[in-house]
Every structure is written in structure tokens, then in C-alpha cells.
Amino acid sequence: MNNTNENCALRLEHVSKTFGRILANRDVDLELRYGEVLALLGENGSGKTTLMNMISGIYHPDEGEIYIGGKRVVINSPKDSYKYGVGMVHQHFKLVDVFTAAENIVLGISEKGGFKIKKSIAKIKEICGRYGFQLDPEKKIYEMSVSEKQTVEIVKVLYRGADILILDEPTAVLTPQETERLFAVIRRMRDDGKSIIIITHKLHEVMAISDRVAVLRKGMHIATVNTADVTESELTDMMVGQKVSLNIERTEPVDPKERLTVSHLSLLNKEGVKVINDISFAANSGEILGIAGIAGSGQRELLETIAGLRVPAEGEIIYNDPKTNEKTDLRKKTPLQIRELGVRLSFVPEDRLGMGLVGNMDIIDNMMLRTYTGGRHVFLDRQPSKNLAEEIIKSLEVVTPGATTPVRRLSGGNVQKVLVGREISSAPSVLMAAYPVRGLDINSSYMIYNLLNEQKKNGAAVIFVGEDLDVLLELCDRIMVICAGTVTGILDGRTAEKKEIGLLMTKLKEAENDG
Amino acid sequence: MADTTKKKADKEPLFVVSKRAEMKFGKSLLVRVIAIAAALLVCGVLTLILTKNNPLTIFRTIVNGAVGNETRILETAYQTSILLIISVAVTPAFKMKFWNIGAEGQVIAGGLSTAVMMYYVGGTFAESFGNPLPAWAHTLLILIMTLTALLSGALWGVIPALFKSKWKTNETLFTLMMNYVAIQITEAVRVTINKGGSGKVDSSILVHGWFPKLFGKEYLLDIIIVLIITAIIYVYLKYSKHGYEISVVGESENTARYVGINVQKVIIRTMALSGAICGLAGLLIVGGASHSLDKNMAGGRGFTAIMVSWLSKFNPVVMIFSSLFLVFLQRGAKEVASAPGIGLNESFSEILTGILLFFIIGCEFFINYKVTFRKHTKEVTA
């Protein structure tokens, strides 16, 4: 790359960052020109946010250099990044609720001489007027809508004199109308000479707002192209990449029968927004059903609803008993009631230590979570759990000082082995696993795939929520793609194309209006 | 890159605090012993400087005040047992992360209903079956007292739990307010019982339903009951299914829901248990020792018990020693204040107690965290 490129507001060269054994970014080169909107596109876990955090001083790169305005800089803290005119608006807002917008905006700025809030308010109004923000500086944060809070965050960055703005998934929380307004403001800022990076995985927004697109995949920079020169389908190709062969074993399903039938399932969240919208599918015995989708599309809620942790607004969840052929509606049943019905439903939740296990308890007591009610008398019987714990430690090669070690002391992979080991120990007839290999190294991941395959061979209906499309394509017999709480397609895992899934994951329907 | 490393070195802190892995029991015991020794040393030096008294005299007075003769030993043992049973009572709730600071009120509720039963039911019994009461009536009266004490303590504990599970009210404020309610009701009942008299309801009025003296020793029955309850709660928390549910709910409500534990039911059940044992403490105070109705019967032990419970890491057996330690100091301090020839008041012994507690609680930091001093080497700039 040309070192004396003077129309570069920001340039990254060979930037790498690892977290433990996980490679977040590898050898990334990136270029942001003056007065342009650059979209940063990539799947979950492709390293977009990590990369931006290194520019805004939250992380420090392991290797590589950052140039701002052609000059080599070292950014050690967010304060440093402001010094160089870089400001980042995070996905989760960092505002003090009981303060006004103006107070939040000036918070943390040390100015010489006396401080007058009136002067600051005048400056805020001037910024708002220039770029067309609608903001009342004296309104308190807790009275604001999400979009207003976001405006405060952006103005905060501009107030500090940022010329390079980084917006991390700004549209995820906005309605289409609010998105339009945001885009208008972004265009005005660009015309004023600001350089803007916008992180997103909504393709139509990339097409609408950006001048150029940089695509990241698995921590690496794939390409930067002019938006006008590409189509959505080409971008999807770059984002998901060519199929990589992983050599995960996949056997033909033996005698698949409908084990779990979900029909017209809908779920409202606390705010009354539909997070699951009319989902219907069947999970068959002896088969792995994969669920693909951008994170937060309703995967977690779907599994929790089936497990009895959430009460659906509409729809049915029918369990077909393999022995008696009886049909049972699991809707509105608690996890305990489901178990009492004799339904062996196992669930490996996404939040391992916060939901699947108790971090401060040892392995034995964690084994007991599912079975402690067994036996007639009031006392616990620890012996079976102790045996199970020792068996799992041995067969799954859990690295631990002993069965009485609190699970929070174990590494991520070992925590997951303990959790999966417990969940499959009951010989489940339905096994649901949400992101079971997230954060795990290759060996542990393959062990988990093997365990899922084993359950499939034993005739369980396995539901696997994954984020790596290569894994989904090699492991699953069928893949259900969901986007914003709706099923956009159910494909055959053996014939599906990666690109096809990518498009189904990102393609928003016309009627779609929540994030 | 060079200038950043130099900048970092400039800001490098003097020492680093990091969480350590589990410390061996022997080593942690040693840390605690050292802490107590250091505390005594500081106490001694301070005594010498501030009061010009011989610190050894002060220490001897403390020991003498707490366990100087048989009466004092019994009194200390009784006071310890009451603090212990309340500590044991609050433990299940705190283990569940239910911030119950209403033990005071729950104890008073139990004591109040005990006194009411002693006065009214005891009085009725005396009229019908003769005074003094025949043995069977006496036993029946004590049973009735026990039952009502347990129930009223449980009620005082369950009300905040119900409100929390139904309407998500804040249990800390609620339990605190329940204390004041209990105190005011006690005052009203006291004035009602002794209408026109001195207003005091003491052992000359509550004459029925006294606990029997075991082996002719005062308080012995109380102490034995407390030890039994302590053992039961130890087993309950460690080996019963209920105890396991309490731990799971306390550690992570999400996990509890995930495995199908009915969180609200556990909270209500546990608070009923906590309250009932507090009510029992009230029974032991009124029926087993004071034989009087006084709004100060709990004497702040409902709050001290919280400290005992946490200090003992929710282990009822350890609580025996923690509560003994606190009561020992308290009783010794009283003696220091009243002993002739020292000329100090209670404030000074409270200072000593404070110093001891500071060291004992402070040493937990060194048991849980490791402090590493950075070697201060001069940066060699290339």
C-alpha cells in the first residue's frame, strides 16, 4: 500500500489482535478517506467491533500500525483517540440517566478557566443546527427515546471535535424512519468533510449510505470496494466466503420422525415487540436441525420458549412421544412440568455460567442441578452426581483439579464440556444447543460436534444454533434460517449454498421494521 | 513504540492486587491468628498511650468480665446462644441473596406473642386449673407459646417475601419497616397489659410459662435448644434439597428458572423459615430468660447477627465461634467500664472492640487477594 497517501484520514497497516487463543483480527489493512462514508461489513465474530475498539483506544493492537492524517499514532485510551479526532459511538450507550443531554455531552471534558453550561449549550445548539440533529440539550436522558439517546452520543463525539466518527451498528435500535433521519445527518456530516465508518450487517443500508465497503471475514480484511460497483449478492459472497471443508462427520438420518412440531409460534418481549414472529418448523428424531441467523434474530428466545422459560403469545409446541406416540403440548409448561411429563428435553443455553451452570458451585453440585429432585426423602443424594462428574471428567477430558472445583475456575472449553456432558447424560429425546462452540478451541469444538452426532445416532432430535456457516453446512441435516424473528427458509444441509444462507440471513422483508 | 513503553513505566503502580486461588485452611488460620495478635498489640499500645493504664490489666479485666465466675460464664453462654440463633436464622435468607434486615422485628414478634400467651393463656389456665399450674398445663402452655412464637416470627418474615414476589417491592426497606411495626405493637400491648400500673411488664406479671431450669442451671435449656437448631440448619443448608435450592437461587436466579426451580416459592418458604427461627429466639428470650415484655428485647442483635452470618461465610458451625467472640468482647467491655481502679468508660472498650473487628475483617482481604509489590527498577532508556 502507498505510504504517502495523503487523502487518507485514517489508515491501518497489518493490525492484529488476539484474545487468548482466539484470533480477533489478523493482518488487517484498512483505509478511510477524507469526507467519505465507509461501511464495515461482516458476520458476527468477524472482528469488526474489535478493530474499531483499537482505533478508539479501548484495546491496543498486538501488532501493526495506525496512521491518522498520514502520521503514525499510538492510541492507549479513549482520551488519546479524542486527541487525534477519533470518536466512537458504541452499540450500548454510555450515558448518565439523570443528567441532561448537555451535561452528558460535556461530562469528562476538562476546560481551562470557568465552566459555563450556557456556553456549552450554545455550542451544542450550533452543532445541531449545522448537521440537522433534533435535540433538546436540557432534556434528561431518562426521558429520551433510544434514537434521541443515540443523537446525544453522536453530538457528544462531535462536541469533542472528532473528524473521524465510528458508528457501531447504529441502525440496530432504530425504526426505518429514524434510520432515514440518521442517514440524512450522516450525509450532511460527510459533506462537511467528516470521515465516517459505519458498522452494519444490513446489506440494503450499506447500499444506501456508504461510498465504499470494507468486508471482514474471520478477522481478516477481504476487500474494500466502491459501493456503486458491487451488488448485494457480490457482497454476500465476500462476507461468507467460499465453502471451507471442515471434515465434520455427518451420517444419514435413520428413520426420522417428527419429534417436536412448532407451529405459528409468536413471542412478545417486555416492551411488547414481537421477537418471534409466526415461526413453524419440525425437529425430527435422528437428525440435526441447524438454526442460522444474525445474532439477536430470535434464536435465544425460540429455544427458551421451547424449554419452558418463556410463555409464547401464540402458537403450539407439540412433543411426539417416541414410545407411546402420544402428543403433548409443551406450551405454557414450566421446565419442571415438562420434565415431570417424562419429556427428556435437554438444553445447552448460550449463557453457560449465567444460566446453564452455577459458577460458584463445584462440578458435582452442578451435575445435581437436573437430578437433585430425585429420590423420595428430603436429603440430597450426592453419590450419583459424583459418579457422573467423575465419568464426564474422564470421558470428555475435562481439565480440572478435581470434581470439587468451582466451575467458574475452569476454562471456557471445559465449562462447556461440563454443561454438555450433563445435558446429554439424561439420554435426551430432544437436545437443544445454542452456540455450543462459541469461544472454544478447535479440539473442544470437534468434541462437541461428535457429542451432538452421537445424540443424533441415538435417535434424539438435535437443534443446533450456530454462527459459523461452514459448520452448519457440514454438521446439519437441515438448516433453518431466521431473520428478525421470522423463518426466511428451511434448506437441506447437504445441498444448500453458503451464499443462499447469507442472503436469507440478511435480506430484510419490506414489512420489517424492528431491528 | 519506544515512547509508549516509557510512558507506561512512568505510570506503573507500586503494587498490584490480584485475586488468589483458594488458600489452604491452615494458612488462612495462621493469617487470622496473626491478625488477632496484631490487633491486641495495637490495642495495648493505644491503651498505654491514651490511658496510661497497663494494657495487661485491661485485657485481664476483659477476660474476667466475660468468664470470671460461673454466673458470668453462664451469662456469656446465654448471650452467645441468643446471638447465635438469630445469626443462624438470618443465614438461609442471606444465602439466597434476600436482604432481610428485619430479624429484629421477627424476634420481637416471637417474643411479643410469647408474652401475650404467658399473660392471657397462662392467666386463664391458672384460673381454671389452679395456681401454680399443674405440670401438664405448664407443658401445654409452653407448647402454645412455642407454636405462636414460631408462627408470628414466620408471618413477620413472609409478609415482605410475599410482597417481593408479587410486586417486586424492595425487601430491605420492607423488612426494616416491619421492625418498627413490631416495636410499636409491643409498646401498645405492654401498656394494655399493665393498665394504670407502672407500665412495666416484668417477671412479676408474666408469672406462668417459665422454662424449667435444667440441672438447676439458668439458661441451660435455651443454650441446648440453640445448639440443636444450629446443627439442624447446618444440615438443612448443606445436605437437604431445600438447602440446595437456596444456594442455586442465591447464586443465579436464571439458572434456577432454567432447571425449573420455582423461585418465588423458594423465597417465601425460606423467609418463613428464617422468620420462624427468629420467632423462636424471641421465645427463648422471653420465656427462657427475661420473663418480661420489652421493646428492646432483641437489643440490636437482629443487625449484629447479619455481621456474624457474613463473617462466618454462612457456616452455622463457624457462627458459634464468631458470636462467642463478639459477646465475649461485649461482656468484657462492660466490665472494663465498671471495674474500679481503671477509671474508663464504655467508650474506650468500644474502641478496643472496633480495633479487633477491623483487624479480623481486614485480614479477609489478605486471605482472598494477593498483593504483589512491583520491583522498583530504574528504567534504562536506550
Side-chain angles (χ1 to χ4, degrees), chain A residues 468-501:
Chain A
D468 189 329
L469 294 185
D470 289 318
V471 171
L472 280 161
L473 279 168
E474 288 210 18
L475 180 71
C476 303
D477 300 295
R478 288 184 303 142
I479 298 170
M480 175 165 96
V481 189
I482 58 179
C483 177
T486 323
V487 176
T488 47
I490 298 182
L491 313 168
D492 187 318
R494 287 175 178 76
T495 56
E497 295 277 330
K498 206 168 172 183
K499 185 171 147 192
E500 204 180 345
I501 298 177

mmCIF file of all heavy atoms in Angstrom, chain A residues 468-501:
data_model
loop_
_atom_site.group_PDB
_atom_site.id
_atom_site.type_symbol
_atom_site.label_atom_id
_atom_site.label_comp_id
_atom_site.label_asym_id
_atom_site.label_seq_id
_atom_site.Cartn_x
_atom_site.Cartn_y
_atom_site.Cartn_z
ATOM 1 N N ASP A 468 -21.229 -20.107 12.739
ATOM 2 C CA ASP A 468 -20.292 -20.375 11.663
ATOM 3 C C ASP A 468 -21.016 -21.170 10.574
ATOM 4 O O ASP A 468 -21.400 -22.317 10.771
ATOM 5 C CB ASP A 468 -19.107 -21.172 12.223
ATOM 6 C CG ASP A 468 -17.992 -21.296 11.206
ATOM 7 O OD1 ASP A 468 -18.304 -21.329 9.998
ATOM 8 O OD2 ASP A 468 -16.825 -21.360 11.618
ATOM 9 N N LEU A 469 -21.191 -20.556 9.412
ATOM 10 C CA LEU A 469 -21.981 -21.207 8.362
ATOM 11 C C LEU A 469 -21.304 -22.474 7.853
ATOM 12 O O LEU A 469 -21.968 -23.431 7.481
ATOM 13 C CB LEU A 469 -22.223 -20.231 7.205
ATOM 14 C CG LEU A 469 -23.103 -19.035 7.537
ATOM 15 C CD1 LEU A 469 -23.360 -18.209 6.297
ATOM 16 C CD2 LEU A 469 -24.420 -19.487 8.143
ATOM 17 N N ASP A 470 -19.973 -22.483 7.845
ATOM 18 C CA ASP A 470 -19.275 -23.686 7.390
ATOM 19 C C ASP A 470 -19.626 -24.875 8.266
ATOM 20 O O ASP A 470 -19.851 -25.979 7.768
ATOM 21 C CB ASP A 470 -17.749 -23.457 7.434
ATOM 22 C CG ASP A 470 -17.317 -22.488 6.351
ATOM 23 O OD1 ASP A 470 -17.832 -22.623 5.218
ATOM 24 O OD2 ASP A 470 -16.500 -21.608 6.629
ATOM 25 N N VAL A 471 -19.666 -24.635 9.564
ATOM 26 C CA VAL A 471 -20.003 -25.708 10.488
ATOM 27 C C VAL A 471 -21.444 -26.153 10.272
ATOM 28 O O VAL A 471 -21.741 -27.346 10.168
ATOM 29 C CB VAL A 471 -19.802 -25.250 11.949
ATOM 30 C CG1 VAL A 471 -20.351 -26.278 12.916
ATOM 31 C CG2 VAL A 471 -18.334 -24.986 12.230
ATOM 32 N N LEU A 472 -22.345 -25.192 10.171
ATOM 33 C CA LEU A 472 -23.750 -25.535 9.969
ATOM 34 C C LEU A 472 -23.918 -26.390 8.714
ATOM 35 O O LEU A 472 -24.651 -27.370 8.704
ATOM 36 C CB LEU A 472 -24.580 -24.248 9.848
ATOM 37 C CG LEU A 472 -24.930 -23.556 11.169
ATOM 38 C CD1 LEU A 472 -25.318 -22.114 10.934
ATOM 39 C CD2 LEU A 472 -26.058 -24.288 11.888
ATOM 40 N N LEU A 473 -23.200 -26.015 7.662
ATOM 41 C CA LEU A 473 -23.358 -26.720 6.391
ATOM 42 C C LEU A 473 -22.790 -28.134 6.430
ATOM 43 O O LEU A 473 -23.212 -28.992 5.669
ATOM 44 C CB LEU A 473 -22.665 -25.933 5.279
ATOM 45 C CG LEU A 473 -23.499 -24.770 4.731
ATOM 46 C CD1 LEU A 473 -22.665 -23.864 3.869
ATOM 47 C CD2 LEU A 473 -24.698 -25.312 3.956
ATOM 48 N N GLU A 474 -21.831 -28.372 7.291
ATOM 49 C CA GLU A 474 -21.251 -29.719 7.328
ATOM 50 C C GLU A 474 -21.883 -30.606 8.374
ATOM 51 O O GLU A 474 -21.838 -31.819 8.285
ATOM 52 C CB GLU A 474 -19.747 -29.627 7.598
ATOM 53 C CG GLU A 474 -19.026 -29.111 6.396
ATOM 54 C CD GLU A 474 -17.619 -29.648 6.299
ATOM 55 O OE1 GLU A 474 -17.318 -30.668 6.951
ATOM 56 O OE2 GLU A 474 -16.835 -29.026 5.585
ATOM 57 N N LEU A 475 -22.447 -30.001 9.415
ATOM 58 C CA LEU A 475 -22.950 -30.787 10.536
ATOM 59 C C LEU A 475 -24.435 -31.103 10.399
ATOM 60 O O LEU A 475 -24.880 -32.187 10.749
ATOM 61 C CB LEU A 475 -22.690 -30.014 11.838
ATOM 62 C CG LEU A 475 -23.152 -30.665 13.129
ATOM 63 C CD1 LEU A 475 -22.270 -31.852 13.457
ATOM 64 C CD2 LEU A 475 -23.112 -29.660 14.282
ATOM 65 N N CYS A 476 -25.197 -30.149 9.870
ATOM 66 C CA CYS A 476 -26.656 -30.248 9.986
ATOM 67 C C CYS A 476 -27.282 -30.950 8.798
ATOM 68 O O CYS A 476 -26.817 -30.849 7.669
ATOM 69 C CB CYS A 476 -27.257 -28.852 10.122
ATOM 70 S SG CYS A 476 -26.586 -27.981 11.518
ATOM 71 N N ASP A 477 -28.378 -31.658 9.086
ATOM 72 C CA ASP A 477 -29.130 -32.303 8.021
ATOM 73 C C ASP A 477 -30.053 -31.306 7.344
ATOM 74 O O ASP A 477 -30.247 -31.346 6.144
ATOM 75 C CB ASP A 477 -29.939 -33.465 8.602
ATOM 76 C CG ASP A 477 -29.034 -34.487 9.252
ATOM 77 O OD1 ASP A 477 -28.246 -35.097 8.518
ATOM 78 O OD2 ASP A 477 -29.077 -34.626 10.485
ATOM 79 N N ARG A 478 -30.626 -30.431 8.160
ATOM 80 C CA ARG A 478 -31.433 -29.349 7.591
ATOM 81 C C ARG A 478 -31.033 -28.053 8.274
ATOM 82 O O ARG A 478 -30.599 -28.063 9.430
ATOM 83 C CB ARG A 478 -32.931 -29.600 7.815
ATOM 84 C CG ARG A 478 -33.484 -30.731 6.952
ATOM 85 C CD ARG A 478 -34.973 -30.875 7.138
ATOM 86 N NE ARG A 478 -35.306 -31.103 8.544
ATOM 87 C CZ ARG A 478 -36.379 -30.585 9.134
ATOM 88 N NH1 ARG A 478 -37.219 -29.804 8.462
ATOM 89 N NH2 ARG A 478 -36.621 -30.835 10.407
ATOM 90 N N ILE A 479 -31.168 -26.939 7.580
ATOM 91 C CA ILE A 479 -30.811 -25.654 8.171
ATOM 92 C C ILE A 479 -31.994 -24.710 8.048
ATOM 93 O O ILE A 479 -32.523 -24.483 6.951
ATOM 94 C CB ILE A 479 -29.582 -25.038 7.478
ATOM 95 C CG1 ILE A 479 -28.374 -25.958 7.657
ATOM 96 C CG2 ILE A 479 -29.273 -23.656 8.060
ATOM 97 C CD1 ILE A 479 -27.192 -25.558 6.830
ATOM 98 N N MET A 480 -32.415 -24.199 9.188
ATOM 99 C CA MET A 480 -33.492 -23.213 9.185
ATOM 100 C C MET A 480 -32.853 -21.834 9.350
ATOM 101 O O MET A 480 -32.050 -21.629 10.247
ATOM 102 C CB MET A 480 -34.447 -23.506 10.346
ATOM 103 C CG MET A 480 -35.534 -22.482 10.520
ATOM 104 S SD MET A 480 -36.818 -23.121 11.601
ATOM 105 C CE MET A 480 -36.310 -22.419 13.149
ATOM 106 N N VAL A 481 -33.175 -20.920 8.465
ATOM 107 C CA VAL A 481 -32.594 -19.583 8.552
ATOM 108 C C VAL A 481 -33.651 -18.644 9.104
ATOM 109 O O VAL A 481 -34.791 -18.629 8.634
ATOM 110 C CB VAL A 481 -32.119 -19.083 7.173
ATOM 111 C CG1 VAL A 481 -31.335 -17.792 7.329
ATOM 112 C CG2 VAL A 481 -31.288 -20.135 6.494
ATOM 113 N N ILE A 482 -33.278 -17.890 10.137
ATOM 114 C CA ILE A 482 -34.226 -16.901 10.629
ATOM 115 C C ILE A 482 -33.615 -15.512 10.552
ATOM 116 O O ILE A 482 -32.405 -15.333 10.643
ATOM 117 C CB ILE A 482 -34.745 -17.204 12.056
ATOM 118 C CG1 ILE A 482 -33.621 -17.288 13.064
ATOM 119 C CG2 ILE A 482 -35.569 -18.448 12.090
ATOM 120 C CD1 ILE A 482 -34.133 -17.549 14.466
ATOM 121 N N CYS A 483 -34.503 -14.559 10.340
ATOM 122 C CA CYS A 483 -34.070 -13.174 10.242
ATOM 123 C C CYS A 483 -35.111 -12.342 10.972
ATOM 124 O O CYS A 483 -36.299 -12.418 10.664
ATOM 125 C CB CYS A 483 -33.976 -12.770 8.771
ATOM 126 S SG CYS A 483 -33.541 -11.048 8.571
ATOM 127 N N ALA A 484 -34.690 -11.619 11.977
ATOM 128 C CA ALA A 484 -35.582 -10.765 12.761
ATOM 129 C C ALA A 484 -36.833 -11.503 13.216
ATOM 130 O O ALA A 484 -37.951 -11.030 13.061
ATOM 131 C CB ALA A 484 -35.953 -9.513 11.983
ATOM 132 N N GLY A 485 -36.659 -12.695 13.763
ATOM 133 C CA GLY A 485 -37.767 -13.417 14.370
ATOM 134 C C GLY A 485 -38.660 -14.169 13.393
ATOM 135 O O GLY A 485 -39.652 -14.759 13.796
ATOM 136 N N THR A 486 -38.314 -14.152 12.095
ATOM 137 C CA THR A 486 -39.132 -14.830 11.100
ATOM 138 C C THR A 486 -38.290 -15.880 10.388
ATOM 139 O O THR A 486 -37.113 -15.664 10.142
ATOM 140 C CB THR A 486 -39.626 -13.836 10.029
ATOM 141 O OG1 THR A 486 -39.900 -12.616 10.674
ATOM 142 C CG2 THR A 486 -40.856 -14.333 9.335
ATOM 143 N N VAL A 487 -38.926 -17.003 10.043
ATOM 144 C CA VAL A 487 -38.194 -18.009 9.262
ATOM 145 C C VAL A 487 -38.145 -17.529 7.817
ATOM 146 O O VAL A 487 -39.177 -17.264 7.196
ATOM 147 C CB VAL A 487 -38.907 -19.377 9.345
ATOM 148 C CG1 VAL A 487 -38.200 -20.378 8.455
ATOM 149 C CG2 VAL A 487 -38.917 -19.865 10.773
ATOM 150 N N THR A 488 -36.911 -17.415 7.276
ATOM 151 C CA THR A 488 -36.811 -16.982 5.879
ATOM 152 C C THR A 488 -36.529 -18.164 4.960
ATOM 153 O O THR A 488 -36.500 -18.002 3.752
ATOM 154 C CB THR A 488 -35.724 -15.902 5.714
ATOM 155 O OG1 THR A 488 -34.543 -16.326 6.389
ATOM 156 C CG2 THR A 488 -36.169 -14.583 6.292
ATOM 157 N N GLY A 489 -36.315 -19.338 5.544
ATOM 158 C CA GLY A 489 -36.134 -20.501 4.696
ATOM 159 C C GLY A 489 -35.665 -21.705 5.486
ATOM 160 O O GLY A 489 -35.010 -21.559 6.514
ATOM 161 N N ILE A 490 -36.042 -22.914 5.036
ATOM 162 C CA ILE A 490 -35.502 -24.140 5.629
ATOM 163 C C ILE A 490 -34.866 -24.920 4.482
ATOM 164 O O ILE A 490 -35.535 -25.269 3.510
ATOM 165 C CB ILE A 490 -36.603 -24.963 6.324
ATOM 166 C CG1 ILE A 490 -37.223 -24.153 7.477
ATOM 167 C CG2 ILE A 490 -36.029 -26.274 6.850
ATOM 168 C CD1 ILE A 490 -38.288 -24.879 8.260
ATOM 169 N N LEU A 491 -33.550 -25.126 4.584
ATOM 170 C CA LEU A 491 -32.810 -25.702 3.464
ATOM 171 C C LEU A 491 -32.257 -27.069 3.834
ATOM 172 O O LEU A 491 -32.083 -27.388 4.999
ATOM 173 C CB LEU A 491 -31.637 -24.784 3.089
ATOM 174 C CG LEU A 491 -31.951 -23.301 2.962
ATOM 175 C CD1 LEU A 491 -30.660 -22.519 2.894
ATOM 176 C CD2 LEU A 491 -32.788 -23.047 1.734
ATOM 177 N N ASP A 492 -31.948 -27.850 2.799
ATOM 178 C CA ASP A 492 -31.287 -29.128 3.019
ATOM 179 C C ASP A 492 -29.806 -28.858 3.261
ATOM 180 O O ASP A 492 -29.136 -28.218 2.454
ATOM 181 C CB ASP A 492 -31.480 -30.007 1.777
ATOM 182 C CG ASP A 492 -30.957 -31.411 2.014
ATOM 183 O OD1 ASP A 492 -29.867 -31.534 2.621
ATOM 184 O OD2 ASP A 492 -31.645 -32.377 1.617
ATOM 185 N N GLY A 493 -29.293 -29.376 4.372
ATOM 186 C CA GLY A 493 -27.909 -29.098 4.738
ATOM 187 C C GLY A 493 -26.905 -29.652 3.745
ATOM 188 O O GLY A 493 -25.762 -29.197 3.671
ATOM 189 N N ARG A 494 -27.296 -30.654 2.977
ATOM 190 C CA ARG A 494 -26.346 -31.287 2.057
ATOM 191 C C ARG A 494 -26.249 -30.544 0.740
ATOM 192 O O ARG A 494 -25.234 -30.627 0.052
ATOM 193 C CB ARG A 494 -26.753 -32.736 1.809
ATOM 194 C CG ARG A 494 -26.471 -33.605 3.013
ATOM 195 C CD ARG A 494 -26.979 -35.023 2.833
ATOM 196 N NE ARG A 494 -26.635 -35.828 4.007
ATOM 197 C CZ ARG A 494 -27.256 -35.748 5.169
ATOM 198 N NH1 ARG A 494 -28.259 -34.903 5.314
ATOM 199 N NH2 ARG A 494 -26.884 -36.497 6.182
ATOM 200 N N THR A 495 -27.297 -29.821 0.374
ATOM 201 C CA THR A 495 -27.275 -29.177 -0.942
ATOM 202 C C THR A 495 -27.247 -27.652 -0.850
ATOM 203 O O THR A 495 -27.017 -26.987 -1.853
ATOM 204 C CB THR A 495 -28.525 -29.597 -1.748
ATOM 205 O OG1 THR A 495 -29.682 -29.273 -0.963
ATOM 206 C CG2 THR A 495 -28.502 -31.073 -2.056
ATOM 207 N N ALA A 496 -27.467 -27.114 0.349
ATOM 208 C CA ALA A 496 -27.587 -25.650 0.460
ATOM 209 C C ALA A 496 -26.273 -24.966 0.107
ATOM 210 O O ALA A 496 -25.194 -25.519 0.297
ATOM 211 C CB ALA A 496 -28.003 -25.275 1.870
ATOM 212 N N GLU A 497 -26.383 -23.768 -0.429
ATOM 213 C CA GLU A 497 -25.217 -22.954 -0.763
ATOM 214 C C GLU A 497 -25.011 -21.940 0.342
ATOM 215 O O GLU A 497 -25.964 -21.389 0.889
ATOM 216 C CB GLU A 497 -25.468 -22.205 -2.081
ATOM 217 C CG GLU A 497 -25.616 -23.101 -3.285
ATOM 218 C CD GLU A 497 -24.264 -23.504 -3.842
ATOM 219 O OE1 GLU A 497 -23.318 -22.699 -3.694
ATOM 220 O OE2 GLU A 497 -24.162 -24.612 -4.395
ATOM 221 N N LYS A 498 -23.758 -21.670 0.639
ATOM 222 C CA LYS A 498 -23.436 -20.707 1.679
ATOM 223 C C LYS A 498 -24.038 -19.341 1.373
ATOM 224 O O LYS A 498 -24.597 -18.664 2.237
ATOM 225 C CB LYS A 498 -21.922 -20.595 1.748
ATOM 226 C CG LYS A 498 -21.423 -20.160 3.080
ATOM 227 C CD LYS A 498 -19.924 -20.364 3.138
ATOM 228 C CE LYS A 498 -19.382 -19.760 4.405
ATOM 229 N NZ LYS A 498 -17.932 -19.882 4.469
ATOM 230 N N LYS A 499 -23.952 -18.971 0.114
ATOM 231 C CA LYS A 499 -24.420 -17.659 -0.297
ATOM 232 C C LYS A 499 -25.932 -17.526 -0.092
ATOM 233 O O LYS A 499 -26.440 -16.486 0.325
ATOM 234 C CB LYS A 499 -24.082 -17.494 -1.774
ATOM 235 C CG LYS A 499 -24.381 -16.157 -2.341
ATOM 236 C CD LYS A 499 -23.811 -16.083 -3.719
ATOM 237 C CE LYS A 499 -24.673 -15.212 -4.588
ATOM 238 N NZ LYS A 499 -24.293 -15.353 -5.992
ATOM 239 N N GLU A 500 -26.595 -18.643 -0.372
ATOM 240 C CA GLU A 500 -28.048 -18.678 -0.235
ATOM 241 C C GLU A 500 -28.429 -18.368 1.227
ATOM 242 O O GLU A 500 -29.316 -17.558 1.502
ATOM 243 C CB GLU A 500 -28.476 -20.102 -0.601
ATOM 244 C CG GLU A 500 -29.882 -20.272 -1.075
ATOM 245 C CD GLU A 500 -30.116 -21.757 -1.384
ATOM 246 O OE1 GLU A 500 -29.131 -22.534 -1.494
ATOM 247 O OE2 GLU A 500 -31.295 -22.120 -1.484
ATOM 248 N N ILE A 501 -27.714 -19.032 2.134
ATOM 249 C CA ILE A 501 -27.991 -18.808 3.554
ATOM 250 C C ILE A 501 -27.684 -17.364 3.935
ATOM 251 O O ILE A 501 -28.467 -16.689 4.604
ATOM 252 C CB ILE A 501 -27.149 -19.756 4.434
ATOM 253 C CG1 ILE A 501 -27.509 -21.209 4.124
ATOM 254 C CG2 ILE A 501 -27.378 -19.470 5.911
ATOM 255 C CD1 ILE A 501 -26.684 -22.210 4.891
#
